[in-house]
């Protein structure tokens, strides 16, 4: 079988301190930079794709 073709795809998100794309590994995932449904979908490595999204302000718990 042929490879999936991700070998040359670089992680565009790069939000993880251990982002594997610094070593030119495969991307193969997609995610937005900040919120799950806002913004363009970018190529991401598995390390960056696993980081939880930030909650929008209206869903964050306020201090009492």
């Amino acid at each position: 079988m042929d490879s999936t073709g991700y070998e040359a795809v670089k992680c565009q998100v790069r939000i993880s301190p251990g982002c594997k794309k610094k070593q030119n590994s495969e991307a193969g995932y997609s995610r937005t930079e900040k919120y799950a449904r806002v913004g363009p979908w970018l190529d991401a490595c598995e390390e960056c794709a696993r980081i939880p999204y930030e909650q929008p302000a209206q869903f964050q718990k306020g201090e009492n």
Side-chain angles (χ1 to χ4, degrees):
M1 230 195 253
D2 290 333
S3 65
T4 58
Y6 292 121
E7 295 84 4
V9 178
K10 295 187 182 287
C11 179
Q12 296 175 323
V13 183
R14 284 179 260 134
I15 55 175
S16 167
C19 179
K20 293 184 177 182
K21 288 312 287 175
K22 291 177 183 170
Q23 289 87 27
N24 285 338
S25 63
E26 299 175 12
Y29 294 85
S30 293
R31 79 167 274 150
T32 61
E33 289 185 276
K34 197 167 186 179
Y35 303 116
R37 298 182 187 191
V38 178
W41 288 90
L42 304 171
D43 291 319
C45 66
E46 183 177 4
E47 194 78 25
C48 289
R50 289 185 178 270
I51 292 176
Y53 285 106
E54 183 178 323
Q55 282 192 326
Q58 67 265 35
F59 297 117
Q60 293 177 5
K61 293 183 179 181
E63 294 182 25
N64 293 332

